[in-house]
Amino acid sequence: MSFTRKPGGKALDILQNLPRISLANLRPEPGTKKAEKKRGRGQHGGNRSGRGHKGERQRGNRPRLGFEGGQTPFYLAIPKYGYNEGHSRRAQYQPLTLNRLQYLIDLGRVDPTQPIDLTQLVNGRGVTIQPQKRDYGVQLVGEGAGIFAAKVNIEVQMASEEAIAAIERNGGMVTTGFYDPRSLAVLCKPVPFFISGQPIPKRMLPGEDMVPYYTDAANRGYLADPEKIQKARIALAQKYGYILPDISKDELFHMLSMIKDPRQIFFGLSPGWVVNMAEKKILKPTDDKLLQYYSS
Amino acid sequence: MSLSFIHRSAMLCRGFRASLNLYDHTTRIPNTTIWLRTLCSSVGEANTRILQSTEEYKFVERLIPPSRVPIPPKHDGPSPSGWTPPSEVPPALPYMIRRSRMHNVPVYTDLTHGSRKTTLVRKVEGDIWALEKDVKEYLQQLTGKDLPTQVNEVTMTLRVKGHFDTELKKWLVEKGF
Protein backbone atom coordinates (compact mmCIF):
# COMPACT_ATOMS: atom_id res chain seq x y z
CA MET A 1 0.00 0.00 0.00
CA SER A 2 1.62 3.30 -0.95
CA PHE A 3 0.73 6.46 0.88
CA THR A 4 0.96 9.80 -0.91
CA ARG A 5 2.91 12.00 1.40
CA LYS A 6 2.17 15.68 1.86
CA PRO A 7 5.45 17.14 3.12
CA GLY A 8 4.87 18.96 6.39
CA GLY A 9 1.37 17.54 6.85
CA LYS A 10 -1.02 19.25 9.24
CA ALA A 11 1.72 21.43 10.75
CA LEU A 12 2.26 23.10 7.38
CA ASP A 13 -1.48 23.79 6.97
CA ILE A 14 -1.58 25.49 10.37
CA LEU A 15 1.56 27.47 9.66
CA GLN A 16 0.21 28.78 6.36
CA ASN A 17 -2.90 30.16 8.05
CA LEU A 18 -1.20 31.75 11.05
CA PRO A 19 0.28 35.28 11.03
CA ARG A 20 4.00 35.74 10.32
CA ILE A 21 6.33 34.45 13.06
CA SER A 22 8.28 37.24 14.72
CA LEU A 23 9.84 37.92 18.11
CA ALA A 24 6.59 39.57 19.16
CA ASN A 25 4.55 36.36 19.03
CA LEU A 26 7.10 33.82 20.29
CA ARG A 27 7.50 32.72 23.86
CA PRO A 28 9.30 29.70 25.46
CA GLU A 29 7.32 26.68 26.72
CA PRO A 30 6.34 27.30 30.37
CA GLY A 31 8.70 25.42 32.66
CA THR A 32 11.74 25.34 30.33
CA LYS A 33 13.34 28.61 31.46
CA LYS A 34 14.19 28.77 35.15
CA ALA A 35 15.25 32.14 36.60
CA GLU A 36 18.98 32.30 37.35
CA LYS A 37 20.04 32.59 40.97
CA LYS A 38 21.91 35.84 41.54
CA ARG A 39 24.41 35.70 44.35
CA GLY A 40 25.00 38.55 46.80
CA ARG A 41 21.83 40.59 46.13
CA GLY A 42 18.80 41.14 48.31
CA GLN A 43 18.05 41.01 52.03
CA HIS A 44 19.01 37.39 52.68
CA GLY A 45 21.26 36.68 49.71
CA GLY A 46 23.43 39.69 50.44
CA ASN A 47 25.93 40.33 53.27
CA ARG A 48 28.48 37.52 52.78
CA SER A 49 27.13 36.46 49.35
CA GLY A 50 27.12 32.75 50.25
CA ARG A 51 30.88 32.60 50.97
CA GLY A 52 30.81 31.85 54.72
CA HIS A 53 32.65 33.67 57.57
CA LYS A 54 36.34 34.68 57.23
CA GLY A 55 39.05 32.10 56.61
CA GLU A 56 40.26 30.50 53.37
CA ARG A 57 36.67 29.79 52.29
CA GLN A 58 35.55 33.42 52.24
CA ARG A 59 38.89 34.65 50.93
CA GLY A 60 39.05 32.09 48.10
CA ASN A 61 42.41 30.61 49.15
CA ARG A 62 41.54 26.95 49.69
CA PRO A 63 44.34 24.42 49.04
CA ARG A 64 44.51 22.06 46.03
CA LEU A 65 42.10 19.16 45.46
CA GLY A 66 43.10 16.11 47.47
CA PHE A 67 44.98 18.01 50.20
CA GLU A 68 44.00 16.72 53.65
CA GLY A 69 45.43 19.44 55.91
CA GLY A 70 48.89 17.83 56.09
CA GLN A 71 47.84 14.21 56.62
CA THR A 72 49.19 11.97 53.84
CA PRO A 73 46.43 12.21 51.28
CA PHE A 74 44.58 9.12 50.04
CA TYR A 75 46.08 9.27 46.55
CA LEU A 76 49.64 9.20 47.98
CA ALA A 77 49.05 6.77 50.84
CA ILE A 78 47.89 3.96 48.54
CA PRO A 79 50.89 2.20 46.90
CA LYS A 80 51.23 1.94 43.12
CA TYR A 81 50.55 -1.39 41.37
CA GLY A 82 50.79 -2.18 37.68
CA TYR A 83 47.13 -3.11 37.07
CA ASN A 84 47.04 -1.22 33.80
CA GLU A 85 50.68 -1.58 32.88
CA GLY A 86 51.11 -2.45 29.23
CA HIS A 87 47.32 -2.38 28.73
CA SER A 88 47.74 -0.88 25.29
CA ARG A 89 50.00 -3.75 24.27
CA ARG A 90 47.74 -6.59 25.37
CA ALA A 91 46.07 -8.85 22.82
CA GLN A 92 42.37 -8.12 22.31
CA TYR A 93 39.77 -10.51 20.96
CA GLN A 94 36.49 -9.06 19.73
CA PRO A 95 33.62 -11.04 21.32
CA LEU A 96 31.09 -12.76 19.09
CA THR A 97 27.99 -13.98 20.90
CA LEU A 98 26.04 -17.00 19.71
CA ASN A 99 23.00 -14.67 19.61
CA ARG A 100 24.74 -12.52 17.02
CA LEU A 101 25.97 -15.51 15.05
CA GLN A 102 22.46 -16.94 14.89
CA TYR A 103 21.13 -13.52 13.83
CA LEU A 104 23.69 -13.30 11.02
CA ILE A 105 22.84 -16.79 9.80
CA ASP A 106 19.09 -16.06 9.95
CA LEU A 107 19.47 -12.91 7.88
CA GLY A 108 21.62 -14.64 5.29
CA ARG A 109 24.71 -12.54 5.98
CA VAL A 110 26.82 -15.59 6.87
CA ASP A 111 26.47 -18.84 4.94
CA PRO A 112 26.30 -21.94 7.18
CA THR A 113 26.78 -24.29 4.20
CA GLN A 114 30.41 -23.13 3.86
CA PRO A 115 33.10 -23.13 6.58
CA ILE A 116 32.74 -19.92 8.61
CA ASP A 117 35.97 -18.04 8.78
CA LEU A 118 36.89 -14.60 10.10
CA THR A 119 36.78 -13.40 6.47
CA GLN A 120 33.19 -14.59 6.14
CA LEU A 121 32.22 -12.85 9.38
CA VAL A 122 33.83 -9.59 8.28
CA ASN A 123 32.26 -9.84 4.81
CA GLY A 124 28.86 -10.28 6.42
CA ARG A 125 29.65 -7.20 8.55
CA GLY A 126 29.11 -9.31 11.64
CA VAL A 127 32.26 -8.23 13.51
CA THR A 128 34.69 -5.35 13.10
CA ILE A 129 38.33 -6.27 13.59
CA GLN A 130 41.11 -3.70 13.75
CA PRO A 131 44.40 -5.62 13.38
CA GLN A 132 46.34 -2.41 13.90
CA LYS A 133 44.79 -1.88 17.33
CA ARG A 134 46.20 -5.06 18.90
CA ASP A 135 43.15 -7.13 17.88
CA TYR A 136 44.21 -10.73 17.44
CA GLY A 137 40.89 -11.98 16.16
CA VAL A 138 37.46 -12.95 17.44
CA GLN A 139 36.40 -14.91 20.51
CA LEU A 140 33.25 -16.99 20.67
CA VAL A 141 31.19 -16.19 23.74
CA GLY A 142 28.47 -18.42 25.17
CA GLU A 143 25.69 -15.81 25.46
CA GLY A 144 22.72 -17.16 23.51
CA ALA A 145 23.72 -20.80 23.87
CA GLY A 146 20.08 -21.63 24.67
CA ILE A 147 18.66 -20.38 21.37
CA PHE A 148 21.52 -21.37 19.08
CA ALA A 149 20.29 -23.86 16.47
CA ALA A 150 22.63 -23.88 13.50
CA LYS A 151 25.00 -26.56 12.26
CA VAL A 152 28.21 -24.74 11.34
CA ASN A 153 31.91 -25.31 10.87
CA ILE A 154 33.40 -22.23 12.51
CA GLU A 155 36.99 -21.16 13.01
CA VAL A 156 37.68 -18.50 15.63
CA GLN A 157 40.71 -17.39 17.64
CA MET A 158 39.33 -18.19 21.11
CA ALA A 159 36.18 -19.90 22.31
CA SER A 160 34.51 -20.35 25.67
CA GLU A 161 33.52 -23.84 26.80
CA GLU A 162 29.79 -23.09 26.69
CA ALA A 163 30.05 -21.83 23.13
CA ILE A 164 31.92 -24.95 22.02
CA ALA A 165 29.29 -27.12 23.73
CA ALA A 166 26.41 -25.23 22.06
CA ILE A 167 27.92 -25.58 18.58
CA GLU A 168 28.83 -29.24 18.97
CA ARG A 169 25.41 -29.99 20.40
CA ASN A 170 23.90 -28.88 17.10
CA GLY A 171 26.26 -31.07 15.10
CA GLY A 172 28.85 -28.43 14.19
CA MET A 173 32.62 -28.16 14.51
CA VAL A 174 34.69 -25.48 16.26
CA THR A 175 38.40 -24.86 15.79
CA THR A 176 40.57 -22.21 17.37
CA GLY A 177 43.44 -20.95 15.24
CA PHE A 178 46.14 -18.36 15.73
CA TYR A 179 46.77 -15.54 13.26
CA ASP A 180 49.75 -13.25 13.66
CA PRO A 181 48.95 -9.55 13.04
CA ARG A 182 50.07 -9.53 9.39
CA SER A 183 48.10 -12.69 8.55
CA LEU A 184 45.12 -11.27 10.40
CA ALA A 185 45.21 -8.09 8.32
CA VAL A 186 45.36 -10.21 5.16
CA LEU A 187 42.51 -12.40 6.41
CA CYS A 188 40.23 -9.48 7.30
CA LYS A 189 40.79 -7.52 4.08
CA PRO A 190 41.81 -9.99 1.38
CA VAL A 191 40.91 -7.86 -1.66
CA PRO A 192 43.26 -4.92 -0.99
CA PHE A 193 45.98 -7.45 -0.21
CA PHE A 194 45.49 -9.31 -3.50
CA ILE A 195 45.48 -6.01 -5.38
CA SER A 196 48.85 -5.13 -3.84
CA GLY A 197 50.37 -8.07 -5.73
CA GLN A 198 52.23 -9.64 -2.83
CA PRO A 199 52.41 -13.43 -2.46
CA ILE A 200 50.15 -14.88 0.22
CA PRO A 201 52.29 -15.05 3.38
CA LYS A 202 52.51 -18.15 5.50
CA ARG A 203 50.79 -17.93 8.88
CA MET A 204 53.20 -17.72 11.79
CA LEU A 205 52.93 -20.10 14.73
CA PRO A 206 51.75 -18.72 18.09
CA GLY A 207 54.15 -17.19 20.58
CA GLU A 208 55.39 -19.05 23.64
CA ASP A 209 52.53 -17.84 25.85
CA MET A 210 49.76 -18.98 23.47
CA VAL A 211 51.19 -22.39 22.49
CA PRO A 212 49.63 -24.14 25.53
CA TYR A 213 46.25 -22.69 24.58
CA TYR A 214 46.38 -23.85 20.96
CA THR A 215 47.78 -27.29 21.75
CA ASP A 216 44.98 -28.00 24.23
CA ALA A 217 42.18 -30.23 22.96
CA ALA A 218 39.70 -28.67 25.43
CA ASN A 219 40.02 -25.39 23.47
CA ARG A 220 39.81 -27.28 20.13
CA GLY A 221 43.20 -25.82 19.25
CA TYR A 222 44.44 -26.25 15.69
CA LEU A 223 47.74 -27.69 16.94
CA ALA A 224 46.11 -30.24 19.23
CA ASP A 225 46.04 -34.00 18.70
CA PRO A 226 42.93 -35.08 16.75
CA GLU A 227 42.30 -38.11 18.96
CA LYS A 228 42.40 -35.95 22.06
CA ILE A 229 39.93 -33.57 20.42
CA GLN A 230 37.54 -36.45 19.76
CA LYS A 231 37.82 -37.49 23.42
CA ALA A 232 37.30 -33.89 24.51
CA ARG A 233 34.12 -33.70 22.40
CA ILE A 234 32.73 -36.77 24.14
CA ALA A 235 33.77 -35.47 27.58
CA LEU A 236 32.13 -32.10 26.94
CA ALA A 237 28.91 -33.80 25.83
CA GLN A 238 28.87 -35.72 29.09
CA LYS A 239 29.61 -32.59 31.11
CA TYR A 240 26.82 -30.54 29.54
CA GLY A 241 24.41 -33.44 29.26
CA TYR A 242 23.68 -33.82 25.54
CA ILE A 243 24.21 -36.64 23.06
CA LEU A 244 27.08 -35.86 20.72
CA PRO A 245 25.72 -36.16 17.16
CA ASP A 246 27.79 -38.32 14.83
CA ILE A 247 28.87 -35.92 12.10
CA SER A 248 30.57 -38.58 10.00
CA LYS A 249 27.13 -39.69 8.85
CA ASP A 250 26.10 -36.18 7.91
CA GLU A 251 25.66 -35.15 4.27
CA LEU A 252 27.71 -32.03 4.93
CA PHE A 253 30.47 -34.02 6.62
CA HIS A 254 33.08 -33.01 4.04
CA MET A 255 32.38 -29.32 4.61
CA LEU A 256 32.19 -29.71 8.41
CA SER A 257 35.53 -31.45 8.56
CA MET A 258 37.40 -28.85 6.48
CA ILE A 259 40.25 -27.41 8.49
CA LYS A 260 43.08 -25.15 7.47
CA ASP A 261 46.71 -26.17 7.58
CA PRO A 262 48.60 -24.31 10.36
CA ARG A 263 50.48 -22.30 7.71
CA GLN A 264 47.45 -21.59 5.53
CA ILE A 265 45.47 -18.35 5.69
CA PHE A 266 42.68 -18.99 3.17
CA PHE A 267 40.82 -22.15 2.30
CA GLY A 268 42.01 -23.52 -1.01
CA LEU A 269 44.90 -21.05 -1.42
CA SER A 270 48.47 -21.86 -0.45
CA PRO A 271 51.11 -19.47 0.90
CA GLY A 272 53.40 -18.23 -1.84
CA TRP A 273 50.73 -17.81 -4.48
CA VAL A 274 50.00 -14.46 -6.07
CA VAL A 275 46.42 -13.66 -7.00
CA ASN A 276 45.77 -11.62 -10.14
CA MET A 277 42.27 -10.26 -9.68
CA ALA A 278 42.20 -8.28 -12.93
CA GLU A 279 42.73 -11.38 -15.07
CA LYS A 280 41.24 -13.84 -12.54
CA LYS A 281 44.40 -15.94 -12.42
CA ILE A 282 46.64 -17.38 -9.74
CA LEU A 283 50.41 -17.38 -10.15
CA LYS A 284 52.37 -20.08 -8.41
CA PRO A 285 56.14 -20.23 -7.88
CA THR A 286 58.19 -23.18 -9.11
CA ASP A 287 61.59 -22.33 -7.62
CA ASP A 288 62.74 -25.01 -5.13
CA LYS A 289 63.90 -22.58 -2.47
CA LEU A 290 60.62 -20.70 -2.55
CA LEU A 291 58.62 -23.88 -2.41
CA GLN A 292 60.71 -25.12 0.49
CA TYR A 293 60.23 -21.83 2.35
CA TYR A 294 56.50 -21.67 1.84
CA SER A 295 55.88 -25.25 2.75
CA SER A 296 58.03 -25.29 5.88
CA MET B 1 40.73 -30.69 -8.42
CA SER B 2 43.13 -28.27 -6.87
CA LEU B 3 46.87 -28.04 -6.91
CA SER B 4 48.61 -27.56 -3.58
CA PHE B 5 52.09 -27.42 -2.21
CA ILE B 6 51.34 -27.89 1.45
CA HIS B 7 54.01 -30.03 3.09
CA ARG B 8 53.83 -30.16 6.83
CA SER B 9 57.00 -29.82 8.81
CA ALA B 10 58.20 -32.77 10.86
CA MET B 11 57.37 -30.93 14.07
CA LEU B 12 53.71 -30.57 13.17
CA CYS B 13 53.35 -33.89 11.46
CA ARG B 14 51.49 -35.78 14.14
CA GLY B 15 49.05 -37.72 12.07
CA PHE B 16 46.88 -34.69 11.78
CA ARG B 17 43.34 -35.93 11.45
CA ALA B 18 44.64 -38.43 8.95
CA SER B 19 41.94 -40.89 9.89
CA LEU B 20 39.19 -38.45 9.07
CA ASN B 21 40.83 -37.13 5.87
CA LEU B 22 39.90 -33.61 6.63
CA TYR B 23 41.97 -31.54 4.25
CA ASP B 24 40.30 -29.96 1.26
CA HIS B 25 43.15 -30.53 -1.19
CA THR B 26 44.45 -33.44 -3.21
CA THR B 27 48.04 -34.13 -4.06
CA ARG B 28 47.44 -34.98 -7.69
CA ILE B 29 48.82 -32.59 -10.31
CA PRO B 30 46.48 -32.06 -13.26
CA ASN B 31 48.39 -31.77 -16.50
CA THR B 32 45.82 -30.47 -18.92
CA THR B 33 44.71 -27.35 -17.11
CA ILE B 34 48.05 -25.74 -16.30
CA TRP B 35 50.11 -24.07 -18.97
CA LEU B 36 53.64 -22.84 -18.35
CA ARG B 37 54.86 -19.39 -19.08
CA THR B 38 58.55 -18.63 -19.04
CA LEU B 39 59.75 -15.29 -17.77
CA CYS B 40 62.85 -13.68 -19.18
CA SER B 41 65.23 -14.54 -16.37
CA SER B 42 67.34 -11.81 -14.84
CA VAL B 43 71.09 -12.21 -14.40
CA GLY B 44 72.02 -15.06 -12.01
CA GLU B 45 68.43 -16.29 -11.32
CA ALA B 46 68.01 -20.06 -11.43
CA ASN B 47 64.32 -20.91 -11.84
CA THR B 48 61.95 -18.02 -12.59
CA ARG B 49 59.15 -19.92 -14.23
CA ILE B 50 55.72 -19.44 -12.74
CA LEU B 51 52.66 -21.56 -13.14
CA GLN B 52 49.39 -19.88 -13.91
CA SER B 53 46.09 -21.41 -13.09
CA THR B 54 42.45 -20.42 -13.07
CA GLU B 55 41.31 -23.53 -11.19
CA GLU B 56 41.55 -22.14 -7.67
CA TYR B 57 40.13 -18.73 -8.49
CA LYS B 58 36.76 -19.86 -7.16
CA PHE B 59 38.30 -19.79 -3.66
CA VAL B 60 39.23 -16.16 -4.23
CA GLU B 61 35.70 -15.32 -5.34
CA ARG B 62 34.41 -16.60 -2.02
CA LEU B 63 36.57 -14.04 -0.23
CA ILE B 64 35.22 -10.98 -2.03
CA PRO B 65 32.81 -9.10 0.28
CA PRO B 66 29.31 -8.51 -1.13
CA SER B 67 28.47 -4.87 -1.78
CA ARG B 68 24.70 -5.22 -1.27
CA VAL B 69 22.70 -6.34 1.74
CA PRO B 70 21.64 -9.95 1.06
CA ILE B 71 17.95 -10.87 0.99
CA PRO B 72 17.15 -12.94 4.10
CA PRO B 73 16.14 -16.57 3.49
CA LYS B 74 12.50 -17.62 4.02
CA HIS B 75 11.43 -18.33 7.61
CA ASP B 76 8.06 -19.57 8.81
CA GLY B 77 7.37 -17.22 11.68
CA PRO B 78 10.17 -16.05 13.97
CA SER B 79 13.67 -17.41 13.38
CA PRO B 80 15.79 -18.91 16.20
CA SER B 81 17.44 -15.56 16.89
CA GLY B 82 14.09 -13.82 17.31
CA TRP B 83 14.06 -11.99 13.99
CA THR B 84 10.66 -12.04 12.31
CA PRO B 85 10.20 -11.20 8.63
CA PRO B 86 7.54 -8.58 7.73
CA SER B 87 4.18 -10.08 6.78
CA GLU B 88 3.57 -10.71 3.05
CA VAL B 89 0.46 -8.54 3.02
CA PRO B 90 0.91 -5.12 4.65
CA PRO B 91 -1.60 -4.59 7.49
CA ALA B 92 -4.76 -2.66 6.70
CA LEU B 93 -3.91 0.41 8.77
CA PRO B 94 -3.75 4.10 7.78
CA TYR B 95 0.02 4.10 8.35
CA MET B 96 2.96 1.95 7.29
CA ILE B 97 6.35 1.43 8.93
CA ARG B 98 9.03 0.23 6.55
CA ARG B 99 11.86 -2.04 7.55
CA SER B 100 15.40 -0.69 7.71
CA ARG B 101 18.15 -1.52 5.18
CA MET B 102 19.12 -4.53 7.29
CA HIS B 103 15.49 -5.75 7.46
CA ASN B 104 14.87 -4.68 11.06
CA VAL B 105 12.09 -2.71 12.73
CA PRO B 106 13.15 0.99 12.87
CA VAL B 107 12.65 1.67 16.58
CA TYR B 108 15.64 3.17 18.37
CA THR B 109 16.43 4.40 21.86
CA ASP B 110 18.23 7.64 22.55
CA LEU B 111 19.98 9.05 25.61
CA THR B 112 20.70 12.76 25.70
CA HIS B 113 22.06 14.92 28.50
CA GLY B 114 23.08 11.73 30.32
CA SER B 115 19.59 10.97 31.63
CA ARG B 116 16.99 11.93 29.04
CA LYS B 117 15.54 8.71 27.64
CA THR B 118 13.52 8.73 24.44
CA THR B 119 12.36 6.16 21.92
CA LEU B 120 12.29 7.02 18.25
CA VAL B 121 10.10 5.37 15.59
CA ARG B 122 11.41 6.16 12.12
CA LYS B 123 10.37 5.45 8.51
CA VAL B 124 6.67 6.12 9.06
CA GLU B 125 4.44 6.61 6.02
CA GLY B 126 0.80 7.66 5.84
CA ASP B 127 -1.21 9.04 8.77
CA ILE B 128 1.37 9.57 11.50
CA TRP B 129 -1.24 11.01 13.89
CA ALA B 130 -3.14 7.71 13.83
CA LEU B 131 0.10 5.92 14.73
CA GLU B 132 0.68 8.38 17.56
CA LYS B 133 -2.82 7.71 18.91
CA ASP B 134 -2.29 3.93 18.75
CA VAL B 135 1.14 4.14 20.39
CA LYS B 136 -0.19 6.35 23.22
CA GLU B 137 -3.09 3.94 23.81
CA TYR B 138 -0.78 0.91 23.85
CA LEU B 139 1.72 2.51 26.23
CA GLN B 140 -1.13 3.70 28.46
CA GLN B 141 -2.21 0.06 28.84
CA LEU B 142 1.38 -1.04 29.46
CA THR B 143 2.56 1.60 31.90
CA GLY B 144 -0.66 3.29 33.06
CA LYS B 145 0.92 6.66 32.30
CA ASP B 146 0.11 9.23 29.64
CA LEU B 147 3.53 9.61 28.00
CA PRO B 148 4.52 12.76 26.12
CA THR B 149 5.08 12.15 22.39
CA GLN B 150 6.41 14.34 19.63
CA VAL B 151 5.42 13.98 15.99
CA ASN B 152 7.74 15.34 13.35
CA GLU B 153 5.76 15.60 10.12
CA VAL B 154 8.74 16.64 8.04
CA THR B 155 10.92 13.64 8.85
CA MET B 156 7.86 11.43 9.56
CA THR B 157 9.18 10.24 12.92
CA LEU B 158 7.61 9.74 16.33
CA ARG B 159 9.44 10.33 19.60
CA VAL B 160 8.18 8.96 22.91
CA LYS B 161 9.54 9.78 26.36
CA GLY B 162 11.13 6.73 27.99
CA HIS B 163 12.81 3.55 26.70
CA PHE B 164 10.20 1.30 25.06
CA ASP B 165 12.11 -0.14 22.13
CA THR B 166 11.59 -3.86 22.93
CA GLU B 167 7.87 -3.35 23.65
CA LEU B 168 7.25 -1.22 20.56
CA LYS B 169 9.24 -3.56 18.31
CA LYS B 170 7.21 -6.53 19.52
CA TRP B 171 3.98 -4.60 19.09
CA LEU B 172 4.85 -3.52 15.54
CA VAL B 173 5.95 -7.04 14.57
CA GLU B 174 2.64 -8.40 15.93
CA LYS B 175 0.81 -5.90 13.72
CA GLY B 176 2.72 -7.25 10.74
CA PHE B 177 5.11 -4.41 9.92
Side-chain angles (χ1 to χ4, degrees), chain A residues 5 8 11 106 257 286 295, chain B residues 7 22 49 51 81 104 153-154:
Chain A
R5 200 190 126 168
D106 289 337
S257 53
T286 50
S295 56
Chain B
H7 305 288
L22 295 177
R49 283 183 315 171
L51 298 169
S81 62
N104 292 322
E153 284 179 316
V154 178

Side-chain angles (χ1 to χ4, degrees), chain B residues 111-158:
Chain B
L111 190 73
T112 5
H113 307 97
S115 58
R116 183 206 206 186
K117 296 180 179 176
T118 47
T119 312
L120 180 66
V121 179
R122 274 190 66 236
K123 293 179 82 86
V124 185
E125 288 166 10
D127 189 0
I128 198 167
W129 294 102
L131 170 68
E132 194 230 6
K133 190 162 143 273
D134 287 346
V135 166
K136 274 190 123 129
E137 212 179 282
Y138 173 65
L139 291 177
Q140 171 81 38
Q141 283 170 17
L142 254 185
T143 56
K145 285 188 267 192
D146 197 18
L147 293 160
T149 51
Q150 184 198 36
V151 166
N152 188 330
E153 284 179 316
V154 178
T155 53
M156 295 299 267
T157 55
L158 178 70

Side-chain angles (χ1 to χ4, degrees), chain A residues 44 60 86 95 109 111 116 154 159 223 243 248 262:
Chain A
H44 300 291
R109 279 152 73 168
D111 191 10
I116 296 178
I154 189 160
L223 299 171
I243 306 162
S248 54

Side-chain angles (χ1 to χ4, degrees), chain A residues 227-243:
Chain A
E227 287 113 38
K228 289 198 182 141
I229 288 184
Q230 192 55 31
K231 284 187 201 155
R233 279 166 62 90
I234 297 163
L236 199 69
Q238 284 179 348
K239 180 174 174 182
Y240 280 82
Y242 59 87
I243 306 162

Side-chain angles (χ1 to χ4, degrees), chain A residues 17-171:
Chain A
N17 294 326
L18 284 175
R20 178 185 297 216
I21 290 176
S22 73
L23 284 175
N25 38 12
L26 282 176
R27 127 192 351 192
E29 177 83 6
T32 51
K33 301 287 177 192
K34 195 163 172 178
E36 194 191 308
K37 180 178 173 184
K38 290 260 196 299
R39 278 190 180 272
R41 303 280 181 275
Q43 186 183 14
H44 300 291
N47 203 11
R48 292 198 191 88
S49 312
R51 295 288 308 219
H53 176 65
K54 288 200 215 179
E56 287 178 333
R57 293 165 190 232
Q58 192 175 23
R59 291 168 182 140
N61 288 327
R62 273 200 244 213
R64 64 181 181 279
L65 185 68
F67 186 69
E68 290 175 17
Q71 169 181 285
T72 314
F74 173 79
Y75 71 93
L76 288 179
I78 306 297
K80 283 198 199 182
Y81 185 82
Y83 291 107
N84 296 332
E85 194 178 333
H87 73 284
S88 58
R89 259 168 270 161
R90 284 183 205 152
Q92 294 178 335
Y93 295 87
Q94 181 76 5
L96 174 70
T97 54
L98 290 172
N99 265 326
R100 180 127 177 102
L101 184 60
Q102 184 65 56
Y103 168 77
L104 295 169
I105 292 170
D106 289 337
L107 261 79
R109 279 152 73 168
V110 157
D111 191 10
T113 59
Q114 292 293 326
I116 296 178
D117 200 3
L118 187 55
T119 321
Q120 299 304 321
L121 288 168
V122 167
N123 286 354
R125 296 0 174 239
V127 287
T128 308
I129 304 287
Q130 298 169 301
Q132 299 219 337
K133 296 286 178 188
R134 275 73 63 194
D135 272 351
Y136 272 70
V138 86
Q139 55 173 322
L140 211 54
V141 158
E143 189 175 323
I147 56 119
F148 192 73
K151 187 167 64 172
V152 288
N153 175 9
I154 189 160
E155 200 221 29
V156 285
Q157 280 65 57
M158 268 185 156
S160 76
E161 203 184 45
E162 286 167 328
I164 297 173
I167 293 184
E168 291 183 345
R169 186 190 298 141
N170 288 303

